[in-house]
Amino acid sequence: MTTLNNCETCPAHNRANLIRLGVELENFDFIVAMAGNPNTGKSTVFNNLTGLHQHTGNWPGKTVSRAEGGFSFNEKRYKVVDLPGTYSLLSTSADEEVARNFILFGQPDVTVIVVDATRLERNLNLVLQILELTDRAVLCVNLMDEAKRNNLEIDVRALSKELGIPVIPASARRRQGMNELLSAIEEVATGKFVCKPHRVKSRSGQLNHAIDKIAAKLAELFPNLPNVNWVAMRLLEGDDSVIEAVRTGEIGTISDYDLTIDN
């Protein structure tokens, strides 16, 4: 854990993009996104955190439903947005695009990733993808009671060290681990805990060269653009939604800028 001395109440979220995404920000200090595979108990965790302080609707321009709620903790107010359950963020479906765009463009103060303790290896694919997008995350390892019933043991301390983020064991149906989760959310949101998330490094030299070239040009044009390496990778892959977001201004327009890679 890395501690900052004077970083209380310093929101990181992108207010303009969150408003564009239809999120009501009035009367809230921090924005929390909840992500995870389907059937991990994410909705139960969401309900535990927000109680009756929630409402449902659709994402702007989408038929994808969403739930929002809120809670107060240590005199700070948190808006929680429950993202669609997805297996990846590759934007092959409307659900995946919604979840990805919220994390990438909204830049929530904390992304809580809920995983199933009995299927941890399968769930880690999404975890690693999210950690490519944000350095403000908490992993909630839910269904620990089911894992225990199946004689599965999870070293949450080692997992936290490996991923570089707080890892909280929980059994949401029994409301176990929720206080610890609230504390972890607060520490990441306020900067008391500075995450150092695991990032994939096993790429070819040629690919790294291409990423670096595009990322450098993106950073030059848009100094405040987050995740320039990730955006560069998606542009290399020809990701239509990212290209469109760049051209329409969600990231910034680069349509007239030469992103050709020199051999």
Side-chain angles (χ1 to χ4, degrees):
M1 178 184 295
T2 304
T3 302
L4 300 182
N5 294 325
N6 297 304
C7 194
E8 296 291 332
T9 64
C10 35
H13 59 262
N14 188 312
R15 182 179 181 85
N17 281 346
L18 286 171
I19 292 173
R20 190 177 298 117
L21 290 166
V23 179
E24 173 58 53
L25 300 178
E26 189 175 354
N27 299 322
F28 290 98
D29 299 298
F30 297 107
I31 304 300
V32 179
M34 296 203 61
N37 289 177
N39 304 314
T40 58
K42 179 168 64 71
S43 294
T44 305
V45 176
F46 173 79
N47 290 336
N48 283 347
L49 293 180
T50 62
L52 298 176
H53 305 288
Q54 58 180 261
H55 64 273
T56 59
N58 284 346
W59 292 89
K62 304 286 185 182
T63 58
V64 180
S65 62
R66 76 173 175 193
E68 292 183 13
F71 66 86
S72 296
F73 187 72
N74 286 343
E75 300 182 351
K76 296 298 177 185
R77 297 159 300 179
Y78 296 78
K79 161 65 72 74
V80 187
V81 180
D82 189 12
L83 301 178
T86 63
Y87 292 103
S88 78
L89 297 179
L90 298 180
S91 192
T92 58
S93 70
D95 286 356
E96 291 177 4
E97 184 177 351
V98 162
R100 187 184 74 177
N101 287 353
F102 189 87
I103 298 171
L104 177 62
F105 301 129
Q107 301 169 47
D109 300 290
V110 186
T111 298
V112 176
I113 315 167
V114 182
V115 297
D116 180 348
T118 67
R119 295 175 173 82
L120 184 57
E121 183 176 1
R122 181 188 303 175
N123 289 183
L124 283 176
N125 177 54
L126 179 65
V127 174
L128 294 176
Q129 289 185 31
I130 291 174
L131 293 184
E132 291 285 335
L133 294 182
T134 180
D135 57 4
R136 289 172 165 261
V138 174
L139 184 66
C140 175
V141 184
N142 193 29
L143 300 173
M144 289 293 289
D145 50 342
E146 292 291 333
K148 183 177 181 180
R149 190 174 297 114
N150 288 279
N151 297 316
L152 296 174
E153 295 185 8
I154 297 174
D155 189 336
V156 294
R157 184 170 297 181
L159 187 59
S160 176
K161 183 177 180 180
E162 185 69 24
L163 293 176
I165 62 175
V167 176
I168 307 299
S171 298
R173 288 176 299 190
R174 302 182 179 184
R175 300 189 63 84
Q176 295 175 352
M178 294 300 100
N179 288 336
E180 292 80 0
L181 181 59
L182 287 170
S183 295
I185 290 172
E186 178 195 42
E187 289 187 344
V188 173
T190 60
K192 293 178 182 178
F193 187 108
V194 178
C195 301
K196 297 180 179 180
H198 175 88
R199 300 280 164 80
V200 177
K201 298 182 176 66
S202 56
R203 305 187 183 105
S204 69
Q206 186 177 10
L207 178 57
N208 282 331
H209 173 72
I211 292 170
D212 290 344
K213 292 282 287 185
I214 293 182
K217 292 180 178 181
L218 286 169
E220 180 184 342
L221 280 174
F222 313 110
N224 296 322
L225 176 65
N227 310 303
V228 288
N229 285 354
W230 187 90
V231 175
M233 288 177 60
R234 300 289 83 77
L235 290 172
L236 280 169
E237 291 176 351
D239 188 311
D240 290 336
S241 63
V242 172
I243 292 171
E244 184 65 17
V246 167
R247 289 177 174 167
T248 58
E250 284 184 282
I251 294 178
T253 177
I254 61 172
S255 58
D256 297 326
Y257 196 87
D258 180 14
L259 288 178
T260 302
I261 301 169
D262 299 327
N263 293 325

